[in-house]
């Protein structure tokens, strides 16, 4: 177990970041100074102790506590977190380094640019948990989960790979189901707690504490 009390979160931080970070690089011209680099490839030998590419992705990894719990419980799997908030990525990698987790890493990156640095059919699990709901109609275009992301998930997942989704917003849960159906790439179902068997996220623990309902989906390739 990691004693996260040793690693307090920053007292001042912004939950939301500049809107342009939610859009692809080619929609930001010129490139803002605070926009993450585009990536075509990554030297995984510099990232993971075993030198192998990632087995799992945590998209929207935030402070990466789920990522670290998963890495600790699955030492033979490499997990990569992808997060648009730079401050949370720095926090995560500082903790990962201090805890000597050689199979975990957080990457400052915008999903809007795709996942060209991930090989086809190389990922076993993708986690996409409690994304920002973006309720306002004019803000819904910032949602990462759309046809482009679903297509990328389908490309990089192994034949028996699994996409896991969670949300505490029923409208977002319905949106996820609708987008999956529209893609035609995945079959999915709502699992029981016993079928889920994954580490809890901070948000999930908060929901349980406050008795807030949340929804889950498990999706596999057709």
């Amino acid at each position: 177990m990691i004693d996260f009390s040793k690693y307090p979160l920053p007292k001042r931080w912004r939950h939301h970041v500049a809107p342009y970070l939610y859009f692809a690089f080619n929609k930001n011209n010129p490139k803002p100074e605070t926009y993450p680099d585009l990536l075509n490839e990554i030297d995984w030998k510099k990232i993971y102790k075993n030198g192998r590419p990632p087995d799992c992705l945590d998209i929207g990894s935030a402070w990466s506590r789920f990522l670290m719990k998963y890495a600790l419980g699955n030492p033979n799997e490499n997990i990569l977190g992808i997060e648009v908030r730079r401050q949370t990525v720095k926090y995560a990698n500082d903790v990962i380094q201090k805890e000597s987790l050689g199979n975990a890493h957080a990457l400052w990156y915008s999903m809007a640019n795709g996942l060209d640095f991930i090989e086809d059919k190389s990922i076993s699990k993708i986690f996409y948990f409690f994304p920002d709901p973006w309720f306002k109609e004019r803000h819904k275009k910032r949602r990462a989960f759309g046809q482009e992301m679903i297509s990328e998930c389908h490309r990089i997942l192994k034949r028996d790979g699994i996409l896991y989704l969670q949300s505490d917003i029923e409208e977002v849960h319905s949106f996820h189901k609708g987008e999956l159906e529209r893609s035609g790439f995945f079959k999915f179902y709502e699992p029981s707690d016993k079928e889920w068997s994954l580490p809890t996220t901070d948000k999930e623990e908060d929901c349980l504490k406050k008795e807030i309902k949340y929804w889950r989906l498990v999706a596999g390739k057709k």
Side-chain angles (χ1 to χ4, degrees), residues 45-200:
K45 294 182 179 64
K46 295 180 180 178
I47 302 294
Y48 296 114
K49 186 176 180 179
N50 61 16
R52 300 199 311 260
D55 302 286
C56 308
L57 293 185
D58 183 12
I59 298 174
S61 54
W63 301 103
S64 294
R65 289 185 172 181
F66 167 84
L67 178 147
M68 289 181 252
K69 290 178 187 177
Y70 188 91
L72 197 63
N74 299 273
N76 295 322
E77 298 178 37
N78 292 342
I79 182 168
L80 179 69
I82 295 175
E83 174 56 50
V84 76
R85 289 176 278 260
R86 194 173 196 173
Q87 187 179 19
T88 65
V89 170
K90 182 181 184 305
Y91 166 88
N93 285 327
D94 284 346
V95 178
I96 286 167
Q97 183 178 19
K98 289 172 182 174
E99 292 290 328
S100 300
L101 282 175
N103 63 327
H105 184 74
L107 180 69
W108 182 48
Y109 185 74
S110 176
M111 268 298 302
N113 294 299
L115 297 168
D116 289 348
F117 51 91
I118 302 291
E119 294 289 332
D120 293 358
K121 299 177 183 177
S122 65
I123 299 295
S124 297
K125 303 182 187 80
I126 298 175
F127 309 110
Y128 187 62
F129 296 157
F130 301 100
D132 291 333
W134 299 115
F135 290 116
K136 294 181 180 179
E137 197 61 38
R138 69 178 185 275
H139 290 162
K140 286 184 179 180
K141 58 188 176 181
R142 298 182 191 177
R143 290 180 177 177
F145 197 80
Q147 294 306 302
E148 290 183 7
M149 176 176 159
I150 292 172
S151 179
E152 279 291 80
C153 289
H154 184 268
R155 177 183 68 80
I156 66 176
L157 276 172
K158 294 179 178 179
R159 183 69 191 90
D160 58 350
I162 300 294
L163 170 62
Y164 297 87
L165 300 104
Q166 284 193 99
S167 177
D168 60 332
I169 308 295
E170 188 170 13
E171 189 271 327
V172 172
H173 174 63
S174 296
F175 172 77
H176 288 167
K177 290 196 293 184
E179 288 297 295
L180 286 171
E181 287 174 349
R182 191 157 71 93
S183 76
F185 287 144
F186 289 93
K187 53 188 176 182
F188 57 89
Y189 67 97
E190 298 185 21
S192 66
D193 289 344
K194 186 177 181 180
E195 291 173 305
W196 191 252
S197 66
L198 290 171
T200 54

